[in-house]
Amino acid sequence: MGRGSAPAREPTARRRARDDGPRIEYWRPEGIEGLRMFRLEDASRPLSSYSEHYGVVLILRGACDGWYRGTVRTLAAGGLKLKEPGEVHRHVRVHAPITVQGAAFAADVVEEAARTLGVPRPVHFVPVAPGRAPRATALATAMHAALAARGPVTRELEALVTETLAELLATCTERGEVRVHERAPRAVRRAREYLRAHVCEPVTLDALAAHAGADKYHLIRAFRAELGVPPYEYLTHLRVARAAELLSTGLTGAEAAHAVGLFDESQLHRHFRRILGVTPGKFARTMQRQHRPSEARAARLACRA
């Protein structure tokens, strides 16, 4: 949430097979501890894989029959495959060349998240059949799309990765659904108050959780359950609302973006249009305001709780 980290990242490690083989690519998103990424494109022959990490693999294109724990099941585009350390996954038959993207989480990261959520350890995933865990699948899909962009690791992306892992542990393990702690409503109220009070400042998920008095895994699930959106999306809505107020007083898009803690005018434009359905410029013109406020007044308006 808030401003992102510096755009530097570890150079992508590429390993390409022969010209007639699949393309394999690896990279590590800098700023997210214990996470490595890979992408396998156009695999037309059965492959096997082994990992010492927990894997969240999204099938992007194609279809194949895969063997796992003695059972063969069909994996198709849009499907999710979850892996545990030390296990072998192998393709039995490729129906159409497959492209997959995988997120490999370090075992200690997953085990600590499971401990926090009350999920039995070691973590054992269950197969995600089509339609079984729609929200977990939707979150994993969004996470993979964001990580594929290879951009700076923002607070929003960090929170999305955290929420995805929490949802997978809660709904796709042998224990099944993990209920939100009874203190959750109070924690959500404290988190919402904190976000409103710090709308124009960078906000980390760890700081938000500490203020709310709950661990980040429980908080992010409880927040969505209570308000329908995770904390970082709630903060974005707050910022767009404040920016709209500022635009109505005569500030430019760049000034409003800076005042509410966004990177620049282009980021404001993207969020403004997505949430309100119009561009900041069109919104400002409809307000027909002639006078610009003082900088002090603009700051008070942008940051008031």
Side-chain angles (χ1 to χ4, degrees), residues 28 43 60 76-78 80 101 112 149 152 172 178 198 236 288 295 305:
R28 188 190 302 272
L60 300 173
L80 203 58
Q101 183 170 294
E112 175 59 22
C172 300
V178 176
H198 297 81
T236 299
Q288 298 180 349
E295 292 185 2

Side-chain angles (χ1 to χ4, degrees), residues 134-156:
R135 192 151 75 89
T137 301
L139 284 169
T141 301
M143 178 189 75
H144 274 294
L147 289 166
R150 317 288 179 88
V153 174
T154 62
R155 304 297 185 189
E156 289 89 345

